[in-house]
Amino acid sequence: MTITAAQVKELRELTGAGMMDCKVALGETGGNIEEAVDWLRKKGISKADKKAGRTAAEGLVGVDAGVREASIVEVNSETDFVARNDAFQEIVRNVSKVALAYGETDAIAAAKYPGSDKTVTDTIKDAVGTIGENMSFRRAAKLTVAKGAVASYVHNAVSENLGKLGVLVAIETDGDAQAASAFARQVAMHVAATNPLALNAEEVDPAAVEREKEIFADQARQSGKPEAIIEKMVEGRMRKFYEEVVLLKQAFVINPDLTVEKALAEAEKAIGAPAKITAFVRFALGEGIEKEESDFAAEVAAAVKN
């Protein structure tokens, strides 16, 4: 099959590998980008360990929080200019308030918008005509604990509780809720910085685990070592993998000498009782969305021609 320059460019951006290596990888995998990433990693060529989707969608992430519950939403717009608009920001604030009451994305979309007889979805549609740009309510999440605290954190906030990256962290405890909330906020800042895949090893996607094992095993076999040694090498690499992607096993950004798990044990002294991190949510604006890139020069040339 023919490998296009666009495919090579995309693979280079994902892996940091050279142009010819990317072309060979795509040829070996029939043009499948994800398989080509794995092929490069197995050959030790890729400089990137994880595929990262290009974040192109604009808008805002908003949070709303009580003591033992908090919500987070993402509302998208076409441009960052509109995201700085007061009217748009007010919409995101109100949608996050509705999220605190309803929790599920579909329920929020169908719920009444604050101070209106219209639904959240219809209110946003009406705002498109007023603000002059397409907008959409994309997703939401809510965390709740019976005892303890749920803390929120918005990184580089453009306004109170509004920004492009938001995190919720829930801690269950019979101890001091204020101390638990303070520690949960620190963990939320950690999650914003490290983007863990799961709370604990058991929650990591089994497919992702098997994929990593296969890649590590193929890399180890290239050393020519016996299978028994390779198995030990893979076990060691997987321990390192979990330390990198599992929240409780990560080095705590506030104090890198401790893991998050050990930092929680230290925090229990101030909380005054055993505590457990039960869940976290991290929304980065536009993650998983690719916005079609236009060739401005080509558009101008076409306009002149016409």
Side-chain angles (χ1 to χ4, degrees):
M1 66 172 292
T2 302
I3 304 301
T4 67
Q7 287 174 300
V8 173
K9 179 175 180 291
E10 181 179 357
L11 188 57
R12 286 193 69 190
E13 290 174 350
L14 291 172
T15 65
M19 184 182 298
M20 290 308 299
D21 288 327
C22 289
K23 189 172 183 180
V24 171
L26 288 164
E28 290 289 332
T29 58
N32 185 296
I33 294 291
E34 188 168 334
E35 290 180 8
V37 171
D38 287 352
W39 189 91
L40 288 168
R41 290 185 63 196
K42 290 175 182 178
K43 297 296 182 182
I45 297 171
S46 174
K47 296 178 183 176
D49 282 338
K50 291 184 288 186
K51 180 179 180 180
R54 288 173 295 177
T55 302
E58 298 297 342
L60 287 171
V61 171
V63 303
D64 195 25
V67 177
R68 291 186 294 275
E69 62 179 3
S71 64
I72 185 168
V73 302
E74 179 182 350
V75 182
N76 295 126
S77 62
E78 290 183 57
T79 66
D80 183 60
F81 177 78
V82 166
R84 297 194 298 270
N85 179 290
D86 289 341
F88 179 79
Q89 291 183 8
E90 185 64 18
I91 288 172
V92 181
R93 284 195 187 91
N94 281 328
V95 172
S96 65
K97 285 181 171 59
V98 176
L100 195 62
Y102 288 87
E104 297 293 330
T105 302
D106 290 343
I108 297 162
K112 289 289 190 292
Y113 185 82
S116 170
D117 290 331
K118 295 183 178 180
T119 66
V120 167
T121 296
D122 288 340
T123 300
I124 291 175
K125 285 181 180 178
D126 289 346
V128 171
T130 304
I131 295 177
E133 186 171 303
N134 187 34
M135 298 178 293
S136 63
F137 165 48
R138 183 187 179 202
R139 56 177 175 165
K142 178 181 175 180
L143 296 183
T144 305
V145 294
K147 296 180 179 180
V150 180
S152 63
Y153 170 69
V154 176
H155 185 65
N156 286 342
V158 298
S159 185
E160 186 177 3
N161 293 330
L162 300 177
K164 295 192 175 185
L165 174 61
V167 180
L168 306 180
V169 172
I171 292 183
E172 287 187 350
T173 181
D174 288 321
D176 185 278
Q178 187 172 353
S181 179
F183 180 71
R185 179 173 169 78
Q186 289 186 331
V187 176
M189 295 171 70
H190 169 96
V191 170
T194 63
N195 192 18
L197 294 182
L199 175 61
N200 51 53
E202 291 72 29
E203 292 181 8
V204 179
D205 184 355
V209 172
E210 290 305 313
R211 181 182 178 188
E212 293 302 314
K213 285 182 178 179
E214 181 184 345
I215 290 170
F216 293 156
D218 284 350
Q219 290 175 341
R221 286 191 184 97
Q222 293 178 34
S223 66
K225 291 182 171 57
E227 284 297 319
I229 300 298
I230 290 173
E231 186 176 340
K232 294 292 185 183
M233 292 173 67
V234 171
E235 287 177 4
R237 292 291 297 274
M238 289 306 297
R239 282 195 296 271
K240 181 66 175 175
F241 169 72
Y242 286 126
E243 289 172 4
E244 292 173 350
V245 305
V246 171
L247 173 58
L248 293 175
K249 300 299 181 184
Q250 289 179 327
F252 193 33
V253 293
I254 308 297
N255 181 0
D257 291 334
L258 300 175
T259 63
V260 172
E261 194 170 34
K262 290 181 179 178
L264 175 61
E266 289 290 319
E268 288 177 344
K269 298 173 184 176
I271 295 171
K276 179 182 180 182
I277 299 173
T278 58
F280 72 89
V281 177
R282 182 185 189 273
F283 279 8
L285 178 67
E287 60 191 351
I289 297 177
E290 289 190 6
K291 184 167 66 178
E292 183 178 351
E293 296 180 5
S294 60
D295 186 335
F296 182 68
E299 288 179 5
V300 172
V304 170
K305 185 177 180 179
N306 293 332

